[in-house]
Amino acid sequence: MKFGEFTLHIIRECTFKLDGGAMFGVVPKTLWGKTSQCDEQNRVPLACNLLFIETPNANVLIETGMGPRWTERERQRYEVKPLLDYDNFLASIGKCNNDVDAVVISHLHFDHAGGAVAFRENKLVPAFPRARYYVQRGEWEFAHNANARAKGSYRHEDFAPLMEYGVLELIDGDTQIVPGVQVRVTGGHTSHHQVVVFESGDRKGVYFADIIPTKNHLSPPWVMGYDHYPLTSCDIKSEYLATAAEENWLVVFDHEVEVPWGHVKMTGDNKFEWQPLPVQTLAHRQVLDSAVP
Ligand SMILES: [Zn+2]
């Protein structure tokens, strides 16, 4: 999709499932069950939607998804269904792993960093050989010192090779990645979680990562049970959504199974309505064909 001087693509890396209770935190199932259908194990369907931004200066990939390194048991637990060839993440849009100049990872949980590295000749190496990888220093440090509640979401082998191969950019706070693409620290989901704000011409957009994972998390108090700082998530959502509604930003959800980009409208005090873009804005059908739970 054209976006000012940029071209944007959604790359759907996989679908998977997580427990509905964990996805909606303190929201009772009698409420979330009306918008998210769960299976017999109480799991709700999710996707990993990566955003690829072609700018006049460089190509930026936002997130890397779950990746292929899962045991059969883990695959079943999360019902992971990979949707791409990991040697060629961008095949659906006619590009290759070598075309990526910058990779932004919102935080280092396994469903965001899992595709960052790949096995080549029995060694784990960066999956995008030419790219610099942008991670908040605070997130990096936390991932290495996570406590018992948080550490199950991190796998060191997803990101240790980035340091080893010297491709990692540890950044401190809000940072421009390339002209028109900026990361902003939100906290909430993890203490240093970052979102990506991008703009070109008169258009502006935001990739919310795990601050608003799906359209069913649009309501500010509907935050995930996984969030380390849920009250921060709630406040930051209100703040960003008010601006996004007022300035008509393009909004992208990382785990939405249906059309993951669109706009939001403010319908009342701290109330927002989701207006997805038409399906035709997605470059390839596979994004939605995979959405069947
Ligand atoms: Zn996630």
Side-chain angles (χ1 to χ4, degrees):
M1 180 174 74
K2 277 280 165 209
F3 190 82
E5 289 198 307
F6 295 176
T7 305
L8 309 181
H9 301 276
I10 298 285
I11 310 286
R12 182 156 291 179
E13 186 259 347
C14 72
T15 57
F16 68 113
K17 288 181 170 179
L18 289 174
D19 180 74
M23 280 307 286
F24 290 98
V26 299
V27 179
K29 188 176 179 182
T30 45
L31 291 182
W32 66 252
K34 289 181 185 159
T35 51
S36 293
Q37 297 292 318
C38 60
D39 67 9
E40 66 294 340
Q41 292 180 52
N42 207 47
R43 300 174 305 181
V44 294
L46 300 165
C48 283
N49 302 310
L50 323 183
L51 180 65
F52 185 68
I53 307 182
E54 288 179 60
T55 84
N57 305 288
N59 296 325
V60 183
L61 178 68
I62 302 171
E63 310 285 39
T64 68
M66 299 274 283
R69 291 168 293 104
W70 294 94
T71 64
E72 198 41 47
R73 208 164 143 231
E74 291 166 329
R75 247 177 234 289
Q76 280 173 17
R77 186 187 310 152
Y78 302 117
E79 210 176 293
V80 189
K81 292 187 181 151
L83 295 169
L84 45 75
D85 163 12
Y86 289 95
D87 292 332
N88 206 346
F89 268 67
L90 307 174
S92 63
I93 57 166
K95 301 215 179 298
C96 65
N97 287 17
N98 258 320
D99 291 326
V100 179
D101 300 293
V103 177
V104 174
I105 304 177
S106 64
H107 62 298
L108 293 168
H109 286 169
F110 58 67
D111 55 324
H112 297 259
V117 298
F119 272 113
R120 303 264 187 271
E121 290 158 11
N122 278 330
K123 279 196 75 175
L124 273 177
V125 302
F128 304 94
R130 286 184 46 254
R132 310 293 300 169
Y133 286 69
Y134 295 83
V135 175
Q136 287 291 326
R137 186 186 308 279
E139 174 67 17
W140 177 266
E141 283 166 3
F142 183 77
H144 290 84
N145 294 291
N147 74 357
R149 153 81 156 67
K151 72 178 175 195
S153 304
Y154 293 103
R155 303 186 306 176
H156 285 203
E157 66 273 21
D158 287 343
F159 42 81
L162 304 178
M163 180 66 97
E164 199 185 317
Y165 283 84
V167 298
L168 187 64
E169 297 282 347
L170 289 178
I171 51 179
D172 297 290
D174 301 356
T175 303
Q176 177 179 276
I177 305 302
V178 298
V181 180
Q182 190 197 36
V183 294
R184 293 193 193 165
V185 176
T186 58
H189 185 63
T190 63
S191 59
H192 293 77
H193 176 280
Q194 59 188 359
V195 297
V196 183
V197 174
F198 45 94
E199 61 179 307
S200 180
D202 58 356
R203 312 216 39 199
K204 205 158 175 177
V206 59
Y207 183 94
F208 272 118
D210 273 356
I211 290 298
I212 310 183
T214 77
K215 64 177 186 305
N216 297 328
H217 292 83
L218 199 60
S219 172
W222 285 42
V223 301
M224 287 193 275
Y226 295 109
D227 287 12
H228 297 171
Y229 304 95
L231 302 188
T232 306
S233 300
C234 181
D235 290 344
I236 205 97
K237 283 167 73 175
S238 301
E239 210 178 288
Y240 269 90
L241 286 172
T243 310
E246 199 179 310
E247 299 180 4
N248 199 34
W249 288 14
L250 177 72
V251 164
V252 187
F253 298 139
D254 61 346
H255 293 318
E256 173 59 46
V257 285
E258 293 180 13
V259 176
W261 57 17
H263 296 92
V264 291
K265 199 171 108 188
M266 198 186 246
T267 54
D269 183 30
N270 211 21
K271 290 201 169 10
F272 302 92
E273 187 187 285
W274 175 234
Q275 301 178 323
L277 287 180
V279 182
Q280 293 76 14
T281 56
L282 300 170
H284 50 113
R285 283 284 319 165
Q286 168 253 355
V287 170
L288 278 199
D289 289 347
S290 65
V292 185

